[in-house]
Amino acid sequence: MMKKSNMVVVFCNDRYPSIGLIRCLGEAGYRPECYCYGDDAGHLLSSKYVIKGRKFATVDEAIHYLLYDYPKYDEKPILFTIPDPPAYFIDLHLDVLKDKFILMSAGEQGKIGFWMNKKNISDLARKHGFVTPWMVEMSMNDEIPDTLEYPVFTKSLRTVNGGKCDESVCRNKEELERRIPKIASERFLLMQYIEKKQEINYFGMSIKGKVYIDFHDERNRFSDSGLGHYCIFKRCNRDDIYNKCVAMISETGYEGLFDIEFLLGKDGVLYFMEVNFRVDGEIYKLRKGVDLPAEWCRLVCKKKDELPDNLQIKKTYFTGMTEMNDFRQSVLTGKMNPLKWFWEFCVTDSHMLINLKDPIPAFVKLWYVIRRIIKIC
């Protein structure tokens, strides 16, 4: 076997969060390899932090490469996954890949996939005292129950099966009947629609039985059926919510980075939504407070009694913006004054795409957008 130390590998798709993970590692002194898939994946490989990598057309091609063509080293590289499909496929082949990589896992093959099931994780959340929306599991051929309270929210049973394209708000039975044939997942959920006051995510890392949760974010502008893209990050209090989160993650047996999603309803109730068992999409924005990917690299090979009581914390209050998505959602829809948005853009602590330390990916991404527009015209 070849010998190489201190290696980091990123397995990801072509979306904004992937470049954020790469930059978290790069700014901490790591030079990751990047194995990515999707039409726009080339912008990830243009990052100055990527030491080498390869673009694939599909997630299946990428996982095949890691399984059969990626070399085996004496010192196993650390593997990060983002978003759900890479995490799911790594977990599906855990018994093979754990001999090649240091992985995030829940202890046994298929266990992350089990917890990705929204009914399973919701059951666990209720066990630990959280409130969850009501949900009904459906398939294409099932009759719509007459007892539903509208509006309802449609969602994949597991995001890896249908993703965001399965999510929608249906105001009545007629809308739902038109929507169901367009859902990609074989099985899906009809869920209580929460009229949102705020979106809240808790970010953390679990390692050798020790759970670190230091920050949560709050998002106050969003669409009815989508997440917001401007975040205010705050240090967590060691309160009841914190303690429930720690207990829930501990019971899953998961080791790795994660985030826990909540919605604060206009009814004043905090609703648990799901846990993401992989690197979160807001990871680069979070770096101003704690660089979780770098902390994982620093601590993952330590013994349990060598783990610190606290992670390396920087700022305790900061902001972050996924600028292109936020501009489309806030300014182009007329919801926000362009001058106010531009001021927030200028004073925001971190952005997801535009980055003066690593500028080339933004230009490559822009070229992909222009090329698609030209083809359409």
Side-chain angles (χ1 to χ4, degrees), residues 290-307:
V290 59
D291 190 336
L292 285 180
E295 289 293 88
W296 178 256
C297 290
R298 181 173 72 93
L299 299 176
V300 70
C301 292
K302 290 186 178 295
K303 297 178 181 178
K304 185 174 182 178
D305 59 4
E306 296 175 331
L307 295 174

Side-chain angles (χ1 to χ4, degrees), residues 11-15 18 34-42 44 54-63 82-87 89 160:
F11 174 25
C12 60
N13 70 1
D14 58 355
R15 305 302 181 188
S18 301
C34 178
Y35 300 99
C36 48
Y37 63 94
D39 293 339
D40 289 1
L44 305 175
R54 186 171 168 183
K55 172 184 172 182
F56 299 90
T58 67
V59 65
D60 295 302
E61 291 180 15
I63 191 66
I82 186 172
D84 280 350
F89 281 104
V160 69

